[in-house]
């Protein structure tokens, strides 16, 4: 009879205690966007951006300081100007849903074509 050694599965069963479940907030946000007439093709992108923002903030009720930190993070990642603007518009709508007013500086895209 041949004995087989037991292998241990390396499974991490521990769940973060301080991490909030953001799914209800994202569902509420999706409904908010639908109710405000955003195009159906735009809504998934807005929800994705806000998901990343909420994961970064670690809460479903972030404040304006979280927004500033996240924008700095996007700049540090060297994302394009239009991508940062798109994230910012998505997040601004989320804060609007929460009854908060946040502003940001719109970054003008480099859409110039040089002719020589």
């Amino acid at each position: 009879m041949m004995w087989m050694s037991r292998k241990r599965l390396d499974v991490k069963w521990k769940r973060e205690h301080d991490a909030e479940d953001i799914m209800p907030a994202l569902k509420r946000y999706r409904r908010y966007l639908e109710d405000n007439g955003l195009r159906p093709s735009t809504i998934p992108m807005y929800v994705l951006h806000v998901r990343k923002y909420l994961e970064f903030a670690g809460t479903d009720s972030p404040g304006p300081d979280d927004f500033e930190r996240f924008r700095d993070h996007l700049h540090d990642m060297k994302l394009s100007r239009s991508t940062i603007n798109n994230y910012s518009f998505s997040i601004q709508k989320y804060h609007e849903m929460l009854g908060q007013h946040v502003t940001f500086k719109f970054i003008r895209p480099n859409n110039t074509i040089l002719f020589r």
Side-chain angles (χ1 to χ4, degrees):
M1 180 184 231
M2 186 172 165
W3 293 93
M4 299 181 81
S5 64
R6 291 186 178 186
K7 293 186 180 183
R8 293 183 63 135
L9 292 176
D10 188 22
V11 178
K12 296 179 183 173
W13 296 99
K14 186 176 179 181
R15 182 176 174 183
E16 295 288 328
H17 294 291
D18 59 339
E20 292 189 38
D21 184 11
I22 60 173
M23 292 310 293
L26 293 174
K27 185 176 180 180
R28 188 172 70 244
Y29 181 57
R30 175 180 292 278
R31 178 61 46 93
Y32 176 80
L33 296 175
E34 291 169 350
D35 289 347
N36 281 283
L38 260 72
R39 288 190 327 221
S41 60
T42 303
I43 291 173
M45 179 188 66
Y46 270 44
V47 172
L48 175 67
H49 289 165
V50 168
R51 172 191 290 269
K52 291 179 184 255
Y53 171 57
L54 297 180
E55 288 172 352
F56 177 86
T59 179
D60 64 356
S61 56
D65 291 340
D66 294 310
F67 181 43
E68 290 301 319
R69 285 188 315 109
F70 188 68
R71 271 183 60 92
D72 288 342
H73 174 69
L74 296 176
H75 281 286
D76 292 345
M77 290 174 50
K78 305 286 188 215
L79 297 177
S80 72
R81 294 172 176 203
S82 62
T83 298
I84 293 171
N85 286 333
N86 285 334
Y87 266 95
S88 298
F89 286 122
S90 303
I91 294 165
Q92 186 178 43
K93 279 281 190 204
Y94 185 78
H95 281 277
E96 183 181 289
M97 180 188 77
L98 297 177
Q100 302 171 351
H101 180 71
V102 294
T103 59
F104 63 94
K105 182 176 179 179
F106 178 78
I107 307 168
R108 296 192 69 71
N110 286 339
N111 287 340
T112 57
I113 299 174
L114 300 176
F115 293 101
R116 296 185 184 216

